[in-house]
Amino acid sequence: MVWANLAPIGPRWDMPTADPSVASALLADFDASPSPYHAVATMKALLDAAGFALAHPGSGPVGRWYHVDGGALVAWVVGTDHHGASPLRLVGAHTDSPNLRIKPQPDRSGAGAARQLGVEVYGGVLLNSWLDRDLGLAGRVVIEGVDGPEEYLMRDDRALLRIPQLAIHLDGDIRQHGLNLNPQRHLSPVWGLGEGPTFAAYLAEQVGVEADSILAYDIMAYDLTPAALNGLGDEFLCTARIDNLLSCFLAVRALVEVADAPGAAIPMISLFDHEEVGSVSTTGAASPLVRQQIELVQAGLGATVVDAAVSRAASLVLSADGAHATHPNYADRHEPEHQVSLNGGPVLKINANQRYATDARSAGVFVRACRTADVPFQRFVNRTDLACGSTIGPATAAELGMAVVDAGCPQYAMHSARETAGSHDPAWFQIVLEQILRG
Ligand code: ZN
């Protein structure tokens, strides 16, 4: 045996690398954000620490501000040089991710002593990815308070729920046709055996009130596996909700970075809820939420109607959302001339049918920002014979009348309970977001 020939092999990088510490710093934020409401609380804490304050009528206009509404957050910086006609540089993203949500009257049992909960499917869930996982519960609860309804964040980190897959011996079809899940019949988690509290009683105990004080809730299941860097050389960032909390957390960090010295444009971020179900809600991208904040900022700066029009014509939105990296086991599902690699840099997303809002003009700004910051980037288009996903980009473009470019970090397994991104792309994308926000 010639051991001498077995030279040790270290990590092999044949691509440029960014700073993976940016990705590892995000792990705790992912774990702290199992629901859109928790994500907003996580980001609000980051903004508070950076000197931002809750905007109220008459506050500002100069300073660092945010506005919070349920699962949505808007934040911006107005400098002393900004005026009514200053353009905006806006980074938009979404706080929600596909998941399983508890029905209003969830207590049920399919057979025997099993206590189960009824769940609704929120958004385009890869259903199989929720099987055989330890699941916790998180969300918000509205209770009867002294002066009217009060809202509480709720989170239970115990392994409470489990959706066991049917044994292979009992599933005659699985070898021939693969796993076939009916969302009504096959997704109810088990959470106990025999006698036990109703869901309402459980929730009341969690919040510390009587069961009849609970008026309503938005509660969802989430995977308890902590976020982590994976792979031989820590190449991968693996966690739930990469789509789209990765973009949200990077947008907040980028805004904090540019807050000390904003450019000619007013830097703003808008992190919406409900993208995964079409953006049409009071806190979605099709709502007046961000337009209203822009109008309030401009009113504070004394903008006329003409100033607002001048500002809008020179403004730009970057719609930040996950992009599909070319899957090595399914390379044929991707456009062969537009292969996208994890850790190959941020991805510019283009769709001729405007499922992404990018056009040549807005794409040009993105490409220039990458070149100026010396960041590698990639271009994505879908296979022409596959339907394309979408983002907040088109809704934001229609709502604001501003140029929009769609871009984001590449990832595998979009809409899985646990997704995979590259650990180097976040640092690069943050640099590009800063470049965009500086105007
Ligand atoms: Zn998304």
Side-chain angles (χ1 to χ4, degrees), residues 94 96 98 243-244 275-276 320-322 349 390-391 411 414-415:
H94 64 91
D96 62 321
D243 174 13
N244 189 16
E275 189 273 348
E276 300 292 358
D321 206 341
K349 298 190 287 183
S390 193
T391 67
Q411 65 168 104
M414 193 179 284
H415 292 194

PDB file of all heavy atoms in Angstrom, residues 94 96 98 243-244 275-276 320-322 349 390-391 411 414-415, ligand 1:
ATOM      1  N   HIS A  94     -40.245  39.783   0.370  1.00  0.00           N
ATOM      2  CA  HIS A  94     -41.441  39.342   1.108  1.00  0.00           C
ATOM      3  C   HIS A  94     -41.071  38.491   2.313  1.00  0.00           C
ATOM      4  O   HIS A  94     -40.090  37.751   2.301  1.00  0.00           O
ATOM      5  CB  HIS A  94     -42.436  38.625   0.199  1.00  0.00           C
ATOM      6  CG  HIS A  94     -41.953  37.336  -0.417  1.00  0.00           C
ATOM      7  ND1 HIS A  94     -42.144  36.119   0.190  1.00  0.00           N
ATOM      8  CD2 HIS A  94     -41.322  37.084  -1.577  1.00  0.00           C
ATOM      9  CE1 HIS A  94     -41.643  35.161  -0.587  1.00  0.00           C
ATOM     10  NE2 HIS A  94     -41.139  35.721  -1.656  1.00  0.00           N
ATOM     11  N   ASP A  96     -43.193  36.279   3.907  1.00  0.00           N
ATOM     12  CA  ASP A  96     -43.930  35.015   4.055  1.00  0.00           C
ATOM     13  C   ASP A  96     -43.286  33.895   3.262  1.00  0.00           C
ATOM     14  O   ASP A  96     -42.583  34.149   2.275  1.00  0.00           O
ATOM     15  CB  ASP A  96     -45.393  35.200   3.611  1.00  0.00           C
ATOM     16  CG  ASP A  96     -45.507  35.589   2.136  1.00  0.00           C
ATOM     17  OD1 ASP A  96     -44.682  36.394   1.654  1.00  0.00           O
ATOM     18  OD2 ASP A  96     -46.422  35.071   1.455  1.00  0.00           O
ATOM     19  N   PRO A  98     -44.142  29.564   2.004  1.00  0.00           N
ATOM     20  CA  PRO A  98     -45.167  28.522   1.979  1.00  0.00           C
ATOM     21  C   PRO A  98     -45.066  27.654   3.231  1.00  0.00           C
ATOM     22  O   PRO A  98     -43.958  27.312   3.670  1.00  0.00           O
ATOM     23  CB  PRO A  98     -44.813  27.709   0.728  1.00  0.00           C
ATOM     24  CG  PRO A  98     -44.008  28.638  -0.116  1.00  0.00           C
ATOM     25  CD  PRO A  98     -43.241  29.489   0.847  1.00  0.00           C
ATOM     26  N   ASP A 243     -36.404  31.449   0.850  1.00  0.00           N
ATOM     27  CA  ASP A 243     -37.382  32.221   0.066  1.00  0.00           C
ATOM     28  C   ASP A 243     -38.450  32.723   1.036  1.00  0.00           C
ATOM     29  O   ASP A 243     -39.314  31.948   1.432  1.00  0.00           O
ATOM     30  CB  ASP A 243     -37.970  31.336  -1.027  1.00  0.00           C
ATOM     31  CG  ASP A 243     -39.109  31.994  -1.799  1.00  0.00           C
ATOM     32  OD1 ASP A 243     -39.287  33.205  -1.669  1.00  0.00           O
ATOM     33  OD2 ASP A 243     -39.827  31.268  -2.514  1.00  0.00           O
ATOM     34  N   ASN A 244     -38.446  33.972   1.554  1.00  0.00           N
ATOM     35  CA  ASN A 244     -37.592  34.990   1.005  1.00  0.00           C
ATOM     36  C   ASN A 244     -36.962  35.808   2.142  1.00  0.00           C
ATOM     37  O   ASN A 244     -36.621  36.967   1.986  1.00  0.00           O
ATOM     38  CB  ASN A 244     -38.414  35.872   0.084  1.00  0.00           C
ATOM     39  CG  ASN A 244     -37.573  36.834  -0.710  1.00  0.00           C
ATOM     40  OD1 ASN A 244     -36.367  36.679  -0.824  1.00  0.00           O
ATOM     41  ND2 ASN A 244     -38.205  37.862  -1.198  1.00  0.00           N
ATOM     42  N   GLU A 275     -46.870  37.395  -0.433  1.00  0.00           N
ATOM     43  CA  GLU A 275     -46.435  37.211  -1.829  1.00  0.00           C
ATOM     44  C   GLU A 275     -46.770  35.815  -2.324  1.00  0.00           C
ATOM     45  O   GLU A 275     -47.142  35.625  -3.481  1.00  0.00           O
ATOM     46  CB  GLU A 275     -44.918  37.455  -1.942  1.00  0.00           C
ATOM     47  CG  GLU A 275     -44.409  37.490  -3.381  1.00  0.00           C
ATOM     48  CD  GLU A 275     -44.030  36.141  -3.962  1.00  0.00           C
ATOM     49  OE1 GLU A 275     -43.935  35.142  -3.198  1.00  0.00           O
ATOM     50  OE2 GLU A 275     -43.830  36.049  -5.182  1.00  0.00           O
ATOM     51  N   GLU A 276     -46.628  34.840  -1.423  1.00  0.00           N
ATOM     52  CA  GLU A 276     -46.819  33.444  -1.841  1.00  0.00           C
ATOM     53  C   GLU A 276     -48.265  33.118  -2.184  1.00  0.00           C
ATOM     54  O   GLU A 276     -48.557  32.055  -2.715  1.00  0.00           O
ATOM     55  CB  GLU A 276     -46.313  32.491  -0.740  1.00  0.00           C
ATOM     56  CG  GLU A 276     -44.834  32.647  -0.397  1.00  0.00           C
ATOM     57  CD  GLU A 276     -43.904  32.217  -1.520  1.00  0.00           C
ATOM     58  OE1 GLU A 276     -44.408  31.747  -2.563  1.00  0.00           O
ATOM     59  OE2 GLU A 276     -42.683  32.361  -1.363  1.00  0.00           O
ATOM     60  N   ALA A 320     -36.191  41.845  -4.647  1.00  0.00           N
ATOM     61  CA  ALA A 320     -35.216  40.825  -4.245  1.00  0.00           C
ATOM     62  C   ALA A 320     -35.941  39.538  -3.850  1.00  0.00           C
ATOM     63  O   ALA A 320     -36.783  39.556  -2.944  1.00  0.00           O
ATOM     64  CB  ALA A 320     -34.382  41.341  -3.077  1.00  0.00           C
ATOM     65  N   ASP A 321     -35.615  38.447  -4.517  1.00  0.00           N
ATOM     66  CA  ASP A 321     -36.280  37.177  -4.222  1.00  0.00           C
ATOM     67  C   ASP A 321     -35.378  36.053  -4.728  1.00  0.00           C
ATOM     68  O   ASP A 321     -34.506  36.269  -5.565  1.00  0.00           O
ATOM     69  CB  ASP A 321     -37.656  37.144  -4.905  1.00  0.00           C
ATOM     70  CG  ASP A 321     -38.639  36.225  -4.187  1.00  0.00           C
ATOM     71  OD1 ASP A 321     -38.181  35.350  -3.413  1.00  0.00           O
ATOM     72  OD2 ASP A 321     -39.846  36.367  -4.412  1.00  0.00           O
ATOM     73  N   GLY A 322     -35.626  34.843  -4.221  1.00  0.00           N
ATOM     74  CA  GLY A 322     -34.784  33.706  -4.579  1.00  0.00           C
ATOM     75  C   GLY A 322     -34.834  33.401  -6.073  1.00  0.00           C
ATOM     76  O   GLY A 322     -35.825  33.669  -6.746  1.00  0.00           O
ATOM     77  N   LYS A 349     -33.016  38.221 -12.909  1.00  0.00           N
ATOM     78  CA  LYS A 349     -34.108  37.362 -13.395  1.00  0.00           C
ATOM     79  C   LYS A 349     -34.914  38.077 -14.478  1.00  0.00           C
ATOM     80  O   LYS A 349     -35.371  39.201 -14.275  1.00  0.00           O
ATOM     81  CB  LYS A 349     -35.008  36.975 -12.221  1.00  0.00           C
ATOM     82  CG  LYS A 349     -34.248  36.166 -11.172  1.00  0.00           C
ATOM     83  CD  LYS A 349     -35.164  35.578 -10.132  1.00  0.00           C
ATOM     84  CE  LYS A 349     -35.696  36.611  -9.191  1.00  0.00           C
ATOM     85  NZ  LYS A 349     -36.538  36.018  -8.134  1.00  0.00           N
ATOM     86  N   SER A 390     -43.192  33.938 -10.071  1.00  0.00           N
ATOM     87  CA  SER A 390     -43.207  35.393 -10.062  1.00  0.00           C
ATOM     88  C   SER A 390     -42.730  35.907  -8.710  1.00  0.00           C
ATOM     89  O   SER A 390     -42.291  35.130  -7.861  1.00  0.00           O
ATOM     90  CB  SER A 390     -44.600  35.911 -10.393  1.00  0.00           C
ATOM     91  OG  SER A 390     -44.560  37.287 -10.673  1.00  0.00           O
ATOM     92  N   THR A 391     -42.794  37.219  -8.532  1.00  0.00           N
ATOM     93  CA  THR A 391     -42.263  37.884  -7.329  1.00  0.00           C
ATOM     94  C   THR A 391     -43.165  39.078  -7.008  1.00  0.00           C
ATOM     95  O   THR A 391     -44.190  39.272  -7.650  1.00  0.00           O
ATOM     96  CB  THR A 391     -40.842  38.422  -7.602  1.00  0.00           C
ATOM     97  OG1 THR A 391     -40.957  39.469  -8.572  1.00  0.00           O
ATOM     98  CG2 THR A 391     -39.908  37.351  -8.124  1.00  0.00           C
ATOM     99  N   GLN A 411     -30.783  29.402  -5.361  1.00  0.00           N
ATOM    100  CA  GLN A 411     -31.055  28.380  -4.352  1.00  0.00           C
ATOM    101  C   GLN A 411     -31.611  27.119  -5.006  1.00  0.00           C
ATOM    102  O   GLN A 411     -32.130  27.154  -6.108  1.00  0.00           O
ATOM    103  CB  GLN A 411     -32.049  28.911  -3.319  1.00  0.00           C
ATOM    104  CG  GLN A 411     -33.438  29.221  -3.878  1.00  0.00           C
ATOM    105  CD  GLN A 411     -34.476  29.463  -2.778  1.00  0.00           C
ATOM    106  OE1 GLN A 411     -34.869  30.589  -2.503  1.00  0.00           O
ATOM    107  NE2 GLN A 411     -34.912  28.381  -2.146  1.00  0.00           N
ATOM    108  N   MET A 414     -36.628  25.430  -3.873  1.00  0.00           N
ATOM    109  CA  MET A 414     -37.524  26.526  -3.504  1.00  0.00           C
ATOM    110  C   MET A 414     -38.890  25.965  -3.080  1.00  0.00           C
ATOM    111  O   MET A 414     -39.442  25.107  -3.743  1.00  0.00           O
ATOM    112  CB  MET A 414     -37.682  27.485  -4.681  1.00  0.00           C
ATOM    113  CG  MET A 414     -38.340  28.797  -4.316  1.00  0.00           C
ATOM    114  SD  MET A 414     -38.483  29.895  -5.742  1.00  0.00           S
ATOM    115  CE  MET A 414     -36.795  30.484  -5.908  1.00  0.00           C
ATOM    116  N   HIS A 415     -39.388  26.461  -1.952  1.00  0.00           N
ATOM    117  CA  HIS A 415     -40.680  26.070  -1.362  1.00  0.00           C
ATOM    118  C   HIS A 415     -40.646  24.730  -0.645  1.00  0.00           C
ATOM    119  O   HIS A 415     -41.682  24.190  -0.275  1.00  0.00           O
ATOM    120  CB  HIS A 415     -41.822  26.102  -2.377  1.00  0.00           C
ATOM    121  CG  HIS A 415     -42.152  27.492  -2.838  1.00  0.00           C
ATOM    122  ND1 HIS A 415     -43.298  27.798  -3.524  1.00  0.00           N
ATOM    123  CD2 HIS A 415     -41.484  28.665  -2.678  1.00  0.00           C
ATOM    124  CE1 HIS A 415     -43.317  29.105  -3.788  1.00  0.00           C
ATOM    125  NE2 HIS A 415     -42.214  29.642  -3.280  1.00  0.00           N
TER     126      HIS A 415
HETATM  127 ZN    ZN B   1     -40.283  34.204  -3.012  1.00  0.00          ZN
END
